[in-house]
Amino acid sequence: LNGCTDTVAVTVNAKPSAGSNITGVCGGSSVTLTGTATGGTWAAQSTNPVGGTLAGSTVSFATTASGTYNYIYTLNGCTDTVAVTVNAKPNAGSNQVACGGTSATLTGTPTTGVWSVLPTNPTGATLGSTTMGVATVSFSTASNGTYKFILTDGSCTDTVDVVVTAKPLAGVDKTVDCYVTGVATMTGTGTGTWTAMSGNAGTSTITTPSSATTTITGFSIAGTYNYLFTNNNCSDTVTVV
């Protein structure tokens, strides 16, 4: 002005980069936020859905977390924002127990989930098709061990265990010619314990209840006697006449 000058300095800080938006995250997992300029700090946008916990640059999501979460990276007074899209983790339900020769119903949420078999499962399980998040798995009598089944919804999964005990085999039915002196020798296979069922014609004596091939003697009267061979709540029945 009038031949006189003055100068002002404007200091400009480069805008930090919060990185690319993150998609395909499942509830129950975590992500690490990576800004391209070091020294900044992260903060969660106040309008984020519930279920995201920020600690430093790591965000942990609850299994029920779902939606778009925005995180703000601040450096030297300048900010940038990254969005993290989270899908809720499906729920495969509680672990189950079953006996060989039976079936189990797998019930997951949401109903859009689809069931599949873990490839490393023991043999002996046949999984049916999924309808509205529900599927039935059938086990052969020899099935034994822990079977894992995976519920998948979108890119997110959950797993349920079905612990199966092989069905003990009681063997073929027996005939005793004379109840007073008769001896019935069991032909069971596998591990189990013999017990007499209620409703039998009379009483009898199981010589060695823990032996699959025990003898049964001392029938008190003529008639029909039924016996259970049980292992881990799984059982088979044999009849002695």
Side-chain angles (χ1 to χ4, degrees):
L1 179 65
N2 297 324
C4 300
T5 63
D6 195 13
T7 302
V8 63
V10 179
T11 301
V12 179
N13 296 316
K15 180 179 180 178
S17 172
S20 300
N21 292 336
I22 303 171
T23 60
V25 178
C26 298
S29 63
S30 61
V31 297
T32 298
L33 307 175
T34 306
T36 57
T38 59
T41 58
W42 288 99
Q45 193 173 80
S46 60
T47 56
N48 278 353
V50 297
T53 301
L54 175 65
S57 61
T58 300
V59 188
S60 300
F61 295 101
T63 56
T64 55
S66 180
T68 300
Y69 297 74
N70 293 303
Y71 296 93
I72 304 160
Y73 188 57
T74 302
L75 179 64
N76 295 327
C78 301
T79 63
D80 193 25
T81 302
V82 65
V84 181
T85 303
V86 181
N87 300 312
K89 181 179 181 177
N91 185 351
S94 301
N95 294 335
Q96 302 183 43
V97 295
C99 297
T102 66
S103 62
T105 300
L106 309 177
T107 303
T109 55
T111 57
T112 50
V114 177
W115 288 99
S116 61
V117 177
L118 190 73
T120 55
N121 276 353
T123 59
T126 302
L127 179 64
S129 59
T130 304
T131 302
M132 298 294 290
V134 179
T136 299
V137 55
S138 300
F139 298 101
S140 68
T141 55
S143 295
N144 190 65
T146 300
Y147 296 75
K148 295 181 180 293
F149 300 93
I150 305 162
L151 180 67
T152 302
D153 185 54
S155 60
C156 302
T157 63
D158 193 24
T159 302
V160 68
D161 291 353
V162 182
V163 180
V164 181
T165 299
K167 181 180 179 178
L169 300 178
V172 297
D173 294 340
K174 312 298 178 188
T175 300
V176 174
D177 293 332
C178 177
Y179 76 87
V180 177
T181 59
V183 177
T185 301
M186 299 296 100
T187 53
T189 56
T191 301
T193 301
W194 290 100
T195 55
M197 297 180 65
S198 60
N200 280 355
T203 61
S204 59
T205 300
I206 302 173
T207 306
T208 310
S210 61
S211 170
T213 56
T214 187
T215 56
I216 300 177
T217 61
F219 300 97
S220 61
I221 60 174
T224 300
Y225 295 75
N226 294 302
Y227 300 90
L228 277 177
F229 189 45
T230 304
N231 180 33
N232 253 5
N233 296 317
C234 301
S235 62
D236 194 21
T237 305
V238 70
T239 299
V240 178
V241 180

